[in-house]
Amino acid sequence: MILEIVKYGQPVLRQKGAKVESLTPEIQKLIADMFETMEANHGVGLAAQQVGVALQVAVIDVRGAQKERPSTVELDGQPGELDAIMPLALINPVVKPVSEAKPGSEGCLSFPEIFGEISRPETVDVTALDGHGKPIRFRCGGLLARAVQHEIDHLNGILFIDRMERKMKEEIQEELDLLQADTRKKIKSKTKGS
Ligand code: ZN
């Protein structure tokens, strides 16, 4: 089922996700729906907060961008294929930087048509449970490293605009204010209608 993606201005985007204690059928359904929603919106990643659920769950699939913005993955110290871990569900993920930060272009499905340069470590180590509740551990670089960090930020209530340089954020401040006002208006009219 394709879910509605919540936009900037929805309080849930600022909530830290609760840790998943057990992989219930509800969470498995949520993960399947998140994959479907990400694909329908041509995203490379989606966090549970973006579909209105404050849980430590995210999905990622960067394979479609491999030509323009390549990703690398290492499993047990050996270069691996993206297909070995994609499409990737991350439950309770933890990320550790292993290289210097580098700027790169970033967008977010909760911020339609807003992009910015964000500085993030180029290579990171990730530990998590996968979509089957199995522990996984890998090192990644390129777009995948960026996507993982962007999604884990979401799981902690952090948004990519928080990591923008002040000057860049000032340039898009008007767009952000408009989006936030629009979201709040929609929340209000929904509450009235129910
Ligand atoms: Zn995002």
Side-chain angles (χ1 to χ4, degrees):
M1 190 171 80
I2 296 172
L3 306 170
E4 193 189 334
I5 294 182
V6 307
K7 305 292 182 331
Y8 178 54
Q10 272 275 2
V12 69
L13 288 176
R14 287 302 187 185
Q15 276 178 42
K16 187 176 161 72
K19 204 168 171 189
V20 173
E21 300 296 345
S22 73
L23 194 55
T24 59
E26 288 75 24
I27 292 176
Q28 284 174 319
K29 170 85 166 82
L30 171 71
I31 291 171
D33 287 346
M34 284 170 65
F35 274 126
E36 213 179 316
T37 305
M38 173 176 71
E39 202 176 305
N41 288 279
H42 312 288
V44 297
L46 189 67
Q49 276 83 343
Q50 293 181 278
V51 293
V53 183
L55 269 182
Q56 296 281 326
V57 175
V59 296
I60 293 175
D61 196 343
V62 293
R63 287 174 298 181
Q66 190 63 356
K67 269 203 185 116
E68 315 85 69
R69 295 187 74 183
S71 299
T72 58
V73 61
E74 263 180 54
L75 298 155
D76 302 318
Q78 300 295 319
E81 295 291 327
L82 285 182
D83 282 327
I85 56 164
M86 298 277 148
L88 177 65
L90 294 173
I91 300 172
N92 306 335
V94 176
V95 67
K96 212 178 92 196
V98 288
S99 76
E100 295 293 303
K102 209 181 148 185
S105 171
E106 229 167 273
C108 179
L109 292 175
S110 295
F111 293 78
E113 286 158 51
I114 293 175
F115 299 89
E117 289 274 309
I118 312 287
S119 224
R120 296 190 192 268
E122 268 194 291
T123 311
V124 293
D125 281 338
V126 183
T127 52
L129 299 177
D130 70 8
H132 308 286
K134 208 179 88 209
I136 46 165
R137 171 188 294 270
F138 59 92
R139 175 167 289 187
C140 61
L143 182 61
L144 177 55
R146 184 167 289 280
V148 164
Q149 293 173 84
H150 179 112
E151 299 315 325
I152 292 178
D153 271 354
H154 271 301
L155 303 184
N156 291 303
I158 299 165
L159 302 171
F160 79 133
I161 54 167
D162 304 341
R163 298 199 183 274
M164 263 179 206
E165 277 181 32
R166 204 177 60 177
K167 204 172 143 248
M168 186 175 292
K169 199 179 164 195
E170 277 169 10
E171 278 170 29
I172 60 160
Q173 193 59 52
E174 200 175 332
E175 281 174 85
L176 290 176
D177 292 344
L178 284 171
L179 176 59
Q180 190 174 48
D182 186 56
T183 304
R184 291 199 175 145
K185 211 165 73 191
K186 281 180 185 149
I187 297 172
K188 242 189 195 163
S189 65
K190 254 187 202 162
T191 329
K192 258 189 212 156
S194 63

